[in-house]
Amino acid sequence: MVKGTLAFVLLVVLALAATEASRRLGRRGLEAPGLQSFLTVLLGALLGHAGLGLFTENILVTIGPVVLLGLAWVGLIVGLQFDLRVLGSLQPWHRRVGFLLPLGVGLGVAGVAFALGARGPTLVLLGSVAMVTTPRVVDHLSRTGPPTDRSAMRLVKLVAALSSVPALLTWGVGITLVSEPHFQMAVLPGQAATLILAAGLAVILGYATMVLLRGETESVHILALLVGVMALIAGAAELTGAEPMLMAALTGALIANRSPNPHRILRAAHGLEVPMLTAILLLVGAWWHPGGFSLLALGVLVLVRAALLLAAGGVLASEARRRTAPVLVRWLGLGLAPHGPLALAFLVAATRDGSLPASVAVGVFASLVVNHVVGARWHRNVLFPRRSGTAEGHP
Amino acid sequence: MRWFFVLIVAAVVGLLRAVLGPEGVDATASALLAFGIVMIGGELSGDMAQRFRLPRVTGYLVLGMLLGPSLAGLVTNGDLATLTVFEELALGLIALTAGGELQLESLARNWRAVLGISGAHVVGIVLLSFGIFWALLGQGLVLGGLPPEAVMAAALLLGVIAVATSPATTIAIITETGARGELVDTVLGVTILKDLAILLLFTWASGLASALVKGGELDARALGALVGEMALSLGAGLLLGILLGAYLTTVGLHPEITVLAVVLVSMELAHTLHLEHLLITMAAGFAARNLFSRAATGFLHALERSSPPIYVIFFALVGAGLDLGVFRTTWIGVAVVVVVRFGLTWGVTAAASTAAGASLPVRRWAWMGFVAQAGLSLGLASRIAREFPGFGSSLAAVIVGAVVVNQLVGPVLWRHALVASGEGRAQEVR
């Protein structure tokens, strides 16, 4: 137990050091878009089953709770950002495209994958990952200089910010439906009962958290309570067979919309985001077993998704021209190509229970890297053509 | 209102466990649920304790007792086993903070009082309590009728356990009250010295008791091996502290995770080489603070500020691990042991500090810092139960009972001492 945890924490330190090193390299002009997260996964793979075999099965089982907690944390942050007041301030067509565009891309990718024979967790993973896109590349580059087209930047940020909601819902509901239920109820199928129970628990815990955090100002106490609540969610999810990210996101959304101080809570939650993310990414790499490479995953997530994004970008541009300001840049859809940490978290969650073929995991990972590089190049060459001096943070 | 929601959450957790049954509950899920309820409840119980002018630590302990296997059962014995790693981790962080509190200059200023009180405890309390317990046990007062050799062995073991204190509790209350001064330096120094001595004393006493009960001779090699292990622990701790200090000075990236790694290295060393986790981490904190003052001081203060969750985990799990069932059968023995230890701790500390020429606050309040007992005493009690099949289990039950009382009373007294002496401040009720 101790040995495993020690090995793991030392590796997290190593991964964080690598993150910092790549950030500093980036500062010197060696741009490495999204390198850190992918490097962390590769580091895990190098030391895990697929590489040196330092992570034994026993160790991986021992640190299983860390993964559950990490996944819940990712879900919590997504939920905390789902503020209905902000959504309400958006124009109706912005809300529509923000939710529907990622959903359409994801369903399109899933449809092609289904036609090519993907089923079960693989299908759910491909569809959900395809929906996710990140605003972090734009956020980062916008700090280095103004964009060539503000209208395009706003649209990319909008869709990227909202894409996590349909993606997480699709993942949470989809994976529950294709998994074996942990219990049966007389009146409902097991999967439906799991979803209802998960939602009920998330609401109870969300309200409880809100009451517990009321008037709390010190971030250490906020963090302690959040860790406690996320541990409960992770435990309840493991117990009931529900998806921890979905439960945590529901709890987070409730807090974001009903708590008087959601920003303070979000700030505190962000404090643990990088270590949690690093930990789970390291583990997903360590879990991989050597076992082929899925061309299907790569094909649908890179080629099909890119085609759908380009089409969606065209629709977005024409809507923008009709309603607000025309989009001047070409191939707007490619700006939505980079995935965020949520996509990696889906991969972690799918790999965790061993139901995902190793080849698919490798294929999805390769697709994430390709999409990130393609998207980041588009941003750098088209939207922010001035050379930036630094690399991005986590993709 | 806040408690109402915690109760709802606890009820939901209990319901989930009940519906799925013991075999349906996965160990990971169960431990996570236990961890979650401890973290949430800990924050609230700390606030509530503060409202009653008690240390937050007492709130955590009471919460642990309420949730533990003895009462509500929301934290099961299986959860405690799974969460041991968190308890040890928290203990390591607490010890690291304790080591960081010890400054060479202040130790040099108070060395007479520190050595005087430590010596008086190790010799005076052991001998006096041995005498008193021998007389009481001989009358069948604590454990009922025992053969003479068992009476002597049990009195010896009780005498040694009477010296044991809880460094974690001492440092937790110091951190909570933000105390600084001669009283703090003296009590911390004595606590750490006694922590070193108690292990040696116990090994010696348990060897002697074993020779008395089972016949044979005292095994001097065991004592020698222990001295070696302790020296190694201190050496390893100093080395880790130097590495930590050097890292904080030169690199300084992600210090919180680096410290976590240092504590885990200590845990691993303790497990594989049979070293003392507490000593290693304490020595590491001491070395980092005194050799790399600028980098380590700021960091250790930051560690102190972020300590509440660490204390919640540690003390709530300690509380949950306390077997409250022992009171049903051993309450008279427990009461006797508590009263004798209480009186001796007060008398011997006051006499020794006066003889050493310590200041008035030390003479008047220092004894209150030595009342609390926790993990070490419980560990020794379980060793007694294992090593002395005849009377060991009933003696261990009495010790556990006494630890429960001392651990509830000790933090309250120590907090009172720090506030009354003017070295600490009463925290505002949140």
Side-chain angles (χ1 to χ4, degrees), chain B residues 33-316:
Chain B
L33 290 174
F35 181 80
I37 198 85
V38 159
M39 286 296 279
I40 293 174
E43 281 293 316
L44 265 67
S45 59
D47 287 353
M48 182 166 267
Q50 230 173 311
R51 206 161 290 153
F52 288 107
R53 299 190 179 282
L54 294 171
R56 292 182 70 83
V57 165
T58 305
Y60 307 152
L61 277 165
V62 172
L63 174 88
M65 289 178 186
L66 290 174
L67 294 178
S70 296
L71 293 174
L74 280 175
V75 179
T76 64
N77 283 319
D79 298 334
L80 287 174
T82 311
L83 296 173
T84 305
V85 70
F86 288 102
E87 197 182 331
E88 283 196 39
L89 203 61
L91 180 64
L93 291 169
I94 294 168
L96 198 77
T97 319
E101 288 289 332
L102 278 180
Q103 291 178 62
L104 274 174
E105 310 93 76
S106 60
L107 276 180
R109 266 200 313 273
N110 302 319
W111 68 272
R112 206 186 289 270
V114 170
L115 282 183
I117 298 171
S118 307
H121 275 223
V122 168
V123 179
I125 292 185
V126 171
L127 288 180
L128 287 170
S129 51
F130 167 68
I132 295 170
F133 286 129
W134 191 21
L136 294 173
L137 285 165
Q139 300 299 315
L141 246 181
V142 180
L143 295 174
L146 287 177
E149 63 276 12
V151 165
M152 191 173 272
L156 189 62
L157 292 168
L158 273 176
V160 172
I161 298 273
V163 185
T165 48
S166 165
T169 309
T170 308
I171 190 68
I173 304 294
I174 292 171
T175 309
E176 190 181 316
T177 54
R180 297 271 181 282
E182 193 183 334
L183 177 63
V184 167
D185 293 339
T186 309
V187 170
L188 209 53
V190 173
T191 305
I192 290 167
L193 273 184
K194 274 171 59 176
D195 199 60
L196 288 168
I198 188 78
L199 293 166
L200 288 172
L201 260 179
F202 182 80
T203 307
W204 167 77
S206 119
L208 196 63
S210 189
L212 277 169
V213 177
K214 301 170 191 165
E217 288 180 1
L218 182 63
D219 185 7
R221 278 176 306 178
L223 211 57
L226 189 66
V227 172
E229 281 168 12
M230 287 168 73
L232 259 181
S233 304
L234 288 174
L238 289 174
L239 187 65
L240 273 180
I242 291 171
L243 289 175
L244 175 65
Y247 176 84
L248 290 174
T249 310
T250 54
V251 185
L253 279 176
H254 300 289
E256 65 293 343
I257 295 187
T258 312
V259 164
L260 206 62
V262 166
V263 175
L264 282 163
V265 168
S266 161
M267 282 161 69
E268 181 59 20
L269 285 174
H271 280 261
T272 49
L273 302 174
H274 302 289
L275 303 184
E276 270 301 308
H277 175 45
L278 197 76
L279 287 184
I280 300 174
T281 38
M282 229 178 242
F286 178 76
R289 171 64 182 267
N290 287 286
L291 298 176
F292 300 89
S293 177
R294 229 177 58 189
T297 307
F299 168 67
L300 286 166
H301 284 162
L303 190 64
E304 267 180 38
R305 280 197 298 277
S306 56
S307 58
I310 299 166
Y311 292 146
V312 169
I313 296 168
F314 180 76
F315 288 102

Side-chain angles (χ1 to χ4, degrees), chain A residues 1-3 6 9-10 13 16 20 65 68 201 208 211-212 216 220-221 224 227-229 231-232 235-236 238-239, chain B residues 2 5-6 9 12 20 25-26 28-29 32-33 35-36 39-40 43-44 85 253-254 257 264-265 267-268 309 430:
Chain A
M1 176 86 181
V2 176
K3 199 171 285 179
L6 169 63
V9 171
L10 287 178
V13 174
L16 287 171
E20 187 62 23
L68 280 167
L201 285 171
V211 174
L212 292 170
E216 196 60 79
V220 65
H221 292 293
V227 168
V229 173
L232 283 178
E238 184 73 352
L239 211 60
Chain B
R2 295 172 91 200
F5 271 92
V6 171
V9 169
V12 169
L20 291 164
V25 179
D26 168 80
T28 302
L32 278 166
L33 290 174
F35 181 80
M39 286 296 279
I40 293 174
E43 281 293 316
L44 265 67
V85 70
L253 279 176
H254 300 289
I257 295 187
L264 282 163
V265 168
M267 282 161 69
E268 181 59 20
R430 294 198 306 125

Side-chain angles (χ1 to χ4, degrees), chain A residues 86-126:
Chain A
V86 176
L87 273 181
S89 67
L90 296 175
Q91 292 178 30
W93 78 275
H94 276 161
R95 282 200 294 271
R96 241 184 348 263
V97 296
F99 289 118
L100 293 181
L101 195 147
L103 196 67
V105 171
L107 291 178
V109 165
V112 175
F114 183 80
L116 293 172
R119 297 288 183 275
T122 303
L123 186 63
V124 178
L125 177 69
L126 293 175

Side-chain angles (χ1 to χ4, degrees), chain B residues 312-373:
Chain B
V312 169
I313 296 168
F314 180 76
F315 288 102
L317 291 180
V318 166
L322 293 173
D323 181 7
L324 303 182
V326 296
F327 284 107
R328 277 196 293 272
T329 51
T330 61
W331 66 272
I332 295 177
V334 169
V336 171
V337 170
V338 167
V339 170
V340 169
R341 181 176 179 272
F342 203 80
L344 285 175
T345 304
W346 170 69
V348 170
T349 309
S353 52
T354 306
S359 64
L360 185 66
V362 175
R363 293 204 304 272
R364 187 178 285 175
W365 306 110
W367 69 276
M368 292 185 177
F370 307 123
V371 174
Q373 288 186 302

